[in-house]
Amino acid sequence: MLKTLLAQVREFKKASFLTPFFMILEVLFETLIPLAMASIIDKGVEAGNIGHIHRMGAVMVVLALCGLWSGVMGGKYGALASTGFARNLRKAIYTNIQTFSFSNIDKYSTAGLITRLTTDVTNLQNAYQMILRMCTRAPASLICAMVMAFLINAKLASIYLVAVIFLGACLIFIMRKATVYFQTVFRKYDDLNASVQENIGAVRVVKAYVREDYEISKFQKACNKVYEMFLSAEKIVVMNMPLMQFTVYACILGISWLGAKMIVGSSLTTGELMSLLTYCMNILLSLMMLSMVFVMVTMSIASAERVTEVINDTADITDPEDPVTDVPDGSIVFDHVNFSYKKDSQEPVLKDINLSIRSGETIGIIGGTGSAKSSLVNLISRLYDVTDGSVSVGGIDVRKYHLESLRNQVSVVLQKNVLFSGTILENLRWGDKNATEEECRRACQLACADDFIEKMPDKYNTFIEQGGSNVSGGQKQRLCIARALLKKPKILILDDSTSAVDTATDARIRHAFAEEIPDTTKLIIAQRVSSIQNADRIIVMDNGEINGFGTHEELLKTNAIYQEVFHSQTGGAGDFDEGGEPA
């Protein structure tokens, strides 16, 4: 974990080294000030030497200014190092997430990833700054003050040693107890963020069903859980300050009492006692700073584990050593394919799938909810990898292809259509960033999206709100189809991508595909028989298995599931024909 985090310091190593350097320099200047003060009292005030007072006063001013400059420089480089460290952490997390396959993403919730990128990284940023500054300054100040105190009077300085051992043991106990709660509280943050994300994402549904009170109640429960965990942790951490104050006042009392006796016995001067009291405060303030660092580090340990978990997670699907970059054609072969989303799953999602699809064919896929239609097509572009068997595209196993090359030739319009904030042209150019406006227009004509775009005031420069909230479901689907067509793929997969489109527009889209991209293999998942009945062949899925594979006419004769779906969607047609004209 530590190695992973320190690797993200990178270009901020210089700032990370300079910060403790200046903090130690500040401590050295501050440590010399009490000696100058003792000299003023013993050799200036008590001896009546005004010149010595002036000289040592000037020395104290110079030491204070040097200490101030060192502290400012330490703060400057500490801020640079910690903010740079946080920036690199966020970049590393986000970059690694982009390499994840669907199976990797399935392990994390969206809210959990957002918490890692925000709250957890901020905790680490604060902890790193405190480690560079306080964790350097406090031990240095502690050591210097202890050394100077022992040089002045070892007997009195032994009080500090007892205090340090006592306070150190208490801090370790507090940290161990509080860590357990802090590790739990950040998991509760995930629930809190999930509640907010779900509510904002589905705000229209919440309003439509008048469920604001329910959502507020759910959010309050998540808030209360975070509150309770933090309260439990803080109840332990709060013991830190009383213990610190008890130790400080006990040391001051002990030194004052013993020091007064020694001054009377002439074994200690007034200036030395003043210096010892100053060093007493230095030592105990150093311990206080260390306790603050311990609290912050305790909180950040849980955050560090969550952040490194994402950074160290490797993608399940990667390029082979010598990848194939050219996809010969759009033919697809499934050879005894079994697939499970989890390796330890007892029941596979897809079972012994054997398929052979010729390049340029239009294949319809139909089946009930949960019959694994989407799982089947996700294997073609390697969004997931097969558990057993193989999937080939263009006669080559998909696991031998360069991922980018394969996915550029296998264009997928997913079941959940997503548009990004930006203009229509910017969204379309996700398919091809170099596409001209004319190419975008042509793709929209094929997807039957040009008709509604031309009616918009800004046409192709119309701004799409986040998530495509200012366009209808059918318009969103057509824009996503146009975006996929711009890739000019050898295989086009439409995963129930015309469900929100009226049947007439659906027919126009299918006709355009047949006329304009005849060489592209087209796989169309649909719930409506009318969307696929003109396909070259149709796959009927049932419970992760192929129940039937053939033309519309063949399946109507031989496949019970297809017959049932067809007749349920065309119900009443027989009565109409038998009765002649309708009443």
Side-chain angles (χ1 to χ4, degrees), residues 364-374 415 494-500 506 524-533 541 561-562 564-566 568-570:
I365 304 174
I366 198 167
T369 303
S371 59
K373 303 184 297 294
S374 297
Q415 195 170 16
L494 303 179
D495 188 353
D496 204 13
S497 303
T498 57
S499 57
D506 188 12
I524 304 170
I525 297 176
Q527 299 296 334
R528 296 189 299 229
V529 172
S530 59
S531 297
I532 58 171
Q533 66 182 21
M541 297 293 297
I561 293 176
Y562 192 77
E564 183 182 349
V565 173
F566 177 78
S568 68
Q569 292 183 8
T570 57

Side-chain angles (χ1 to χ4, degrees), residues 208-245:
Y209 284 85
V210 198
R211 297 286 281 175
E212 291 92 343
D213 291 341
Y214 171 77
E215 287 297 321
I216 291 169
S217 173
K218 190 167 71 172
F219 180 74
Q220 285 177 338
K221 286 179 182 177
C223 280
N224 286 336
K225 286 179 182 177
V226 174
Y227 163 76
E228 287 166 6
M229 294 309 299
F230 261 124
L231 186 63
S232 298
E234 293 297 338
K235 281 180 180 177
I236 298 171
V237 172
V238 79
M239 293 167 58
N240 175 57
M241 189 56 67
L243 282 169
M244 186 68 64
Q245 290 175 334

Side-chain angles (χ1 to χ4, degrees), residues 265 423 491:
T423 65
I491 299 172

